[in-house]
Amino acid sequence: MDVSVLESKIYELIEGSAKHSWTFHQIRRKLRITTGEERKALEEALHNLEVSGYLYLNDYDEYQLLKNHKELVIGELRITDKGKPFVMSGKHKIFIPDSHLNGAIAGDIVIVKRHNEKVQGNSRGTIEKILKREKGQIIFDYIDQRLVPLNWPVDIKVSLPESDWVELVDGQRVLLRLSLDKENDAYQGQLVNIVGHKDDPNFDILTIAGKNGFFLPFSDAANAQAKEIASRDINEDINYILSHGGKDLRHVNMVTIDGPDTKDIDDSVGIILLPNGNYQFITAIAHVGYYIKPGTPLDLEAKARSTSVYPYNNVFPMFPHEISNGICSLNENVDRLAFACIMEIDKKGNVVDFSLEDVVIHSRKKMVYDDINDIFEKGIPHHEYDPYIPDLALMVELYNILEAKKKDRGALKFGDNDVDFKSDQDGIPLEIKKERRGLAHKMIENFMLTTNETVASFMYWLGMGGVYRVHPAPNVDKLKEIVKELNIPVHISQNAAENPKALQAIIDKIQVFDEGDVYKDMLLQAMKTAFYSPNGDIGHFGLSYEQYTHFTSPIRRYPDLMVHRLCQTLRDDILSIDYDEEIKYLESACAHCSKQERLADKTEREANHYKMAEFMENHIGETFTGFIHYLGKGGITVKTEDLIFGKIYNDDVHNSGLKYDSVSRTLIDEEDNILHIGDKIEIVVKAADRYSGKIAFTYKKKLHKVKQKVS
């Protein structure tokens, strides 16, 4: 029996009935469930509806519509940096007092009963029921033969197998998986991973990755599969591809362009000038789909992770190194299988023809961004690149065409917001600077954008579902509100949400301000978050594409691997696709990958904040230049010129003689300088705490700069 069909029948039954409560047996009889197999399907369907937040099973074992219980909400239990548990309900946080957790741990899907009263403006609630222990994983410190939960407000008693206890050493931090139910007042625990020892130099970054679910060992089955794939004879794979219609491109000057330390190389590029004056551009992507089949151990673990994560000089890969750095990586001077998008691009940047091909390539050189920037921006030669200068010159020529086309269609340019850390051998940050993205980085980015858009169009026009990278239009009212708050003399037209060009024109205007980066950050607040979806109609507002996808990084992003598989099926066997089943799978997979991407971003952000605070611990009392990003009754948020975030807290605001005007939302200092959001100021580092990632500044003075007139 189809569980999803059964779910619909159950919901329709309960919603359409005058009865508000239904027992399992009443539902079974009404739907004429008779066999053991049907009964099992009914149990699964009811559980799914409960976990999804449609039904509520009360204390009398009766199913009701959750929406009829206004005081109850469903959500995931999370925890703040200060160790305070909460559940998100829409855009609102419901904080859970320690005594009201009722055995729930971070990551659990729970039913919460909201309290009527608020404490310090925050809603409070009680965990009524744990619906699902989705991960059941929590980090503990092993101290004096005791397991102490990290960043969790109440003690958790755990029973481990003897074999796990034997492995533990005092001072270690471990990741445990806990049972949903207790036995003898203790959760049954299983050792998932030893995060590290408190004396390890990388200890805290490993902890950040671990608590977000990324520092996990691969299973024995996945490791065995990786070793088996890595040991294969590449020549046999090459012969198979070529005998099944693949193309041999080993004669083409294919090159890779990455950072100097990149080891998981997804993409290789090549260019040929055609007799008609057009460019043949080849984007060859690691053929992960050839080696990793759906449903295999490596595939299941890659899907669960959904992405590789790169927190501060670390890599937590989606695939084991034998795959990500080995047989699937397009390394220099070795033959590799690839899935290529071969495009013909005219002099206006239009893709006039393309094909998706299984190919064999031989990357001639592993090029580095900075080297190419030296050659083409600074005129500094790197003679080992000499054989490829004609190809690179053609690529620069094509890049300029694509860049002009991108500007013409209105793709947004919000600038660079990445941070470049220089560290010692122990990972301690010595210097933090705003990262500069030169010609080479922008060139590769444009090539990948064009490839992704081409593949997205291929999926879309065949009309059989796809994996799209979508970005909804911004909220115009919010844009207007931000511009009004910043007191910028620009007009937000109503079509700013329909036409990225209108918004880009505003960004170009505010660039004349010294505080332009702050204003851009504020405008970003009105932008919605990009995500994965099977719906290609949404489009990508920021890039101004009607359809867009991610195709170029299947080693480190699972959606790209999904796109590869789907494109091959659309190309070779489109009639085999069951549209309804495909869409159902894509909806679930896209939602999971979007969630994991947000978690990966959070992991990398937390690691950066940790290292920024660690850096500032060695600069207490020093003066920095920064910009005001927010000011209010709660203090001032400041970002330094090198993108280090910190706060001037309320006490220090008052101690500095600053007075807040709630009407104009400004501050006035002792010299009668008025401080607005965006103003450039001098600040002094007062305190820094790497473990919370927080930095405290004090105000020194406002730096005056005459604003240029906006035309």
Side-chain angles (χ1 to χ4, degrees):
M1 180 174 283
D2 190 322
V3 172
S4 61
V5 173
L6 194 53
E7 288 173 16
S8 299
K9 288 182 178 179
I10 294 167
Y11 191 79
E12 289 169 6
L13 169 66
I14 298 178
E15 186 178 45
S17 170
K19 270 172 60 70
H20 294 299
S21 303
W22 290 75
T23 66
F24 175 85
H25 295 294
Q26 288 171 336
I27 296 171
R28 179 179 61 80
R29 285 195 294 270
K30 189 70 176 178
L31 296 180
R32 298 180 180 177
I33 302 294
T34 56
T35 69
E37 184 179 342
E38 290 173 337
R39 183 187 177 105
K40 187 176 179 181
L42 178 61
E43 290 172 348
E44 183 182 346
L46 285 167
H47 177 72
N48 290 347
L49 287 169
E50 188 182 8
V51 172
S52 301
Y54 293 108
L55 296 185
Y56 173 63
L57 182 62
N58 65 22
D59 294 337
Y60 303 101
D61 286 334
E62 296 170 328
Y63 289 96
Q64 303 168 326
L65 294 178
L66 182 65
K67 67 182 181 181
N68 291 339
H69 293 266
K70 302 302 181 185
E71 78 283 5
L72 299 179
V73 296
I74 186 172
E76 179 183 339
L77 182 61
R78 306 179 191 175
I79 192 157
T80 68
D81 292 335
K82 295 182 178 179
K84 301 293 184 183
F86 69 95
V87 173
M88 289 299 297
S89 174
K91 294 183 178 180
H92 304 287
K93 283 183 179 179
I94 301 172
F95 285 90
I96 313 297
D98 300 351
S99 58
H100 294 183
L101 284 167
N102 291 329
I105 64 172
D108 287 353
I109 306 300
V110 297
I111 292 282
V112 178
K113 184 175 183 179
R114 289 180 288 196
H115 301 168
N116 289 327
E117 76 280 1
K118 291 187 176 183
V119 179
Q120 294 180 340
N122 294 317
S123 298
R124 290 290 188 270
T126 298
I127 303 293
E128 287 284 299
K129 183 185 294 187
I130 303 170
L131 295 178
K132 185 180 180 184
R133 180 143 289 170
E134 191 158 33
K135 294 178 180 175
Q137 294 175 351
I138 194 164
I139 291 179
F140 290 80
D141 283 322
Y142 187 58
I143 304 170
D144 297 330
Q145 298 185 325
R146 287 183 61 246
L147 287 167
V148 181
L150 178 70
N151 198 31
W152 194 247
V154 296
D155 193 32
I156 300 175
K157 190 176 178 182
V158 181
S159 175
L160 287 180
E162 184 62 32
S163 57
D164 287 349
W165 283 113
V166 170
E167 282 195 52
L168 300 183
V169 175
D170 195 64
Q172 279 183 330
R173 186 164 283 175
V174 296
L175 180 66
L176 302 183
R177 183 177 292 116
L178 305 186
S179 62
L180 178 59
D181 300 313
K182 290 183 179 180
E183 194 174 303
N184 297 325
D185 200 34
Y187 292 106
Q188 300 304 302
Q190 176 189 355
L191 181 62
V192 176
N193 200 18
I194 296 174
V195 175
H197 191 274
K198 61 182 178 63
D199 296 330
D200 295 342
N202 208 28
F203 183 58
D204 291 298
I205 302 301
L206 297 178
T207 298
I208 291 169
K211 74 184 179 68
N212 287 314
F214 287 107
F215 182 42
L216 298 172
F218 289 94
S219 68
D220 291 342
N223 281 322
Q225 185 186 355
K227 286 180 171 56
E228 183 275 323
I229 291 172
S231 67
R232 291 166 64 154
D233 183 349
I234 185 72
N235 292 312
E236 291 182 6
D237 296 324
I238 290 171
N239 290 335
Y240 179 86
I241 286 290
L242 296 181
S243 64
H244 285 75
K247 291 189 174 182
D248 192 341
L249 299 183
R250 285 176 287 186
H251 63 286
V252 178
N253 273 355
M254 302 295 294
V255 298
T256 64
I257 305 175
D258 286 288
D261 301 321
T262 303
K263 295 182 176 64
D264 49 351
I265 303 175
D266 290 280
D267 56 278
S268 184
V269 294
I271 192 166
I272 298 169
L273 188 62
L274 298 173
N276 63 1
N278 290 345
Y279 307 91
Q280 183 181 72
F281 193 84
I282 303 166
T283 308
I285 307 299
H287 211 330
V288 180
Y290 176 86
Y291 292 104
I292 313 296
K293 303 304 180 186
T296 58
L298 279 176
D299 178 63
L300 294 175
E301 294 206 27
K303 183 181 178 183
R305 288 168 168 80
S306 295
T307 181
S308 296
V309 192
Y310 303 86
Y312 190 77
N313 298 340
N314 288 265
V315 181
F316 300 100
M318 190 173 78
F319 288 111
H321 295 300
E322 294 94 334
I323 304 297
S324 59
N325 297 359
I327 196 163
C328 283
S329 185
L330 305 182
N331 298 331
E332 185 179 46
N333 285 327
V334 292
D335 292 346
R336 285 287 184 260
L337 306 187
F339 190 40
C341 181
I342 303 176
M343 298 166 283
E344 182 179 344
I345 305 174
D346 67 17
K347 291 290 187 180
K348 294 182 179 179
N350 301 309
V351 178
V352 296
D353 195 12
F354 76 94
S355 63
L356 297 174
E357 309 282 357
D358 303 295
V359 301
V360 181
I361 68 166
H362 186 96
S363 286
R364 303 298 176 89
K365 182 160 183 61
K366 183 182 187 297
M367 298 185 178
V368 177
Y369 292 127
D370 288 345
D371 293 347
I372 295 175
N373 293 338
D374 283 348
I375 295 168
F376 287 92
E377 291 184 336
K378 302 175 183 177
I380 300 172
H382 288 260
H383 293 299
E384 68 273 23
Y385 285 72
D386 287 352
Y388 311 102
I389 293 298
D391 299 271
L392 289 171
L394 268 182
M395 289 183 189
V396 172
E397 188 178 296
L398 177 57
Y399 156 72
N400 287 324
I401 293 170
L402 294 174
E403 181 68 12
K405 182 178 172 66
K406 184 168 73 171
K407 183 178 180 181
D408 185 59
R409 73 170 186 269
L412 299 182
K413 296 184 297 181
F414 275 102
D416 304 331
N417 289 296
D418 291 331
V419 180
D420 183 26
F421 290 89
K422 295 288 188 293
S423 311
D424 66 14
Q425 59 185 11
D426 294 323
I428 297 172
L430 302 175
E431 184 182 22
I432 301 176
K433 284 191 173 183
K434 186 176 179 179
E435 186 176 70
R436 178 189 174 275
R437 296 169 72 251
L439 167 71
H441 201 124
K442 294 175 184 177
M443 184 171 72
I444 287 296
E445 181 182 82
N446 262 324
F447 295 155
M448 298 303 116
L449 289 174
T450 303
T451 303
N452 287 334
E453 192 269 341
T454 301
V455 173
S457 298
F458 170 72
M459 289 191 296
Y460 184 77
W461 291 111
L462 286 174
M464 295 299 291
V467 178
Y468 299 97
R469 182 68 172 174
V470 301
H471 184 215
N475 183 307
V476 172
D477 291 335
K478 192 169 183 180
L479 279 173
K480 290 180 177 179
E481 184 182 319
I482 290 170
V483 166
K484 182 180 178 182
E485 181 181 355
L486 295 175
N487 195 29
I488 308 173
V490 294
H491 173 66
I492 301 284
S493 61
Q494 201 59 35
N495 75 339
E498 302 167 9
N499 180 10
K501 272 190 175 181
L503 186 54
Q504 184 59 51
I506 295 168
I507 295 170
D508 290 341
K509 284 182 178 181
I510 64 177
Q511 282 294 99
V512 302
F513 292 107
D514 188 39
E515 305 88 348
D517 284 347
V518 179
Y519 295 159
K520 284 189 295 183
D521 283 351
M522 295 292 290
L523 288 174
L524 270 174
Q525 293 179 15
M527 302 294 289
K528 296 178 181 177
T529 303
F531 58 94
Y532 296 106
S533 170
N535 181 5
D537 290 327
I538 299 173
H540 197 294
F541 179 84
L543 295 173
S544 192
Y545 279 133
E546 291 185 9
Q547 286 83 38
Y548 188 67
T549 191
H550 277 168
F551 171 82
T552 56
S553 297
I555 290 177
R556 60 185 181 87
R557 287 190 308 228
Y558 194 79
D560 302 54
L561 178 54
M562 292 167 61
V563 169
H564 281 218
R565 290 170 174 164
L566 185 57
C567 283
Q568 289 188 299
T569 305
L570 291 170
R571 183 193 66 185
D572 301 334
D573 195 16
I574 191 171
L575 296 179
S576 70
I577 298 176
D578 182 326
Y579 179 80
D580 292 335
E581 285 297 314
E582 185 72 13
I583 291 296
K584 189 193 304 182
Y585 165 74
L586 292 176
E587 284 177 347
S588 172
C590 285
H592 172 71
C593 291
S594 297
K595 179 182 177 182
Q596 288 298 107
E597 179 191 40
R598 292 191 294 272
L599 200 54
D601 289 343
K602 175 176 177 280
T603 301
E604 293 172 6
R605 189 167 57 249
E606 285 181 3
N608 280 354
H609 286 174
Y610 177 94
K611 288 297 180 179
M612 287 176 181
E614 183 182 29
F615 173 78
M616 284 301 197
E617 286 175 352
N618 296 316
H619 294 273
I620 305 297
E622 294 184 22
T623 299
F624 285 79
T625 300
F627 295 94
I628 297 175
H629 271 245
Y630 170 84
L631 56 80
K633 291 182 179 179
I636 307 173
T637 302
V638 182
K639 185 192 278 188
T640 72
E641 290 179 309
D642 290 319
L643 309 184
I644 300 175
F645 260 114
K647 284 193 73 173
I648 304 175
Y649 290 92
N650 243 338
D651 288 347
D652 292 310
V653 169
H654 296 311
N655 292 339
S656 300
L658 294 166
K659 295 179 181 178
Y660 180 65
D661 184 333
S662 58
V663 177
S664 62
R665 293 193 66 181
T666 60
L667 286 163
I668 303 173
D669 68 14
E670 292 177 322
E671 297 179 3
D672 292 330
N673 292 307
I674 300 175
L675 303 181
H676 302 84
I677 291 174
D679 279 347
K680 193 173 186 178
I681 60 175
E682 276 192 356
I683 47 180
V684 178
V685 184
K686 178 185 179 182
D689 177 17
R690 71 182 77 173
Y691 300 105
S692 66
K694 297 187 184 303
I695 300 165
F697 294 114
T698 57
Y699 173 74
K700 189 173 182 181
K701 66 179 180 180
K702 179 177 180 177
L703 296 174
H704 293 276
K705 184 176 177 69
V706 178
K707 293 180 180 178
Q708 299 179 37
K709 187 177 180 181
V710 179
S711 57

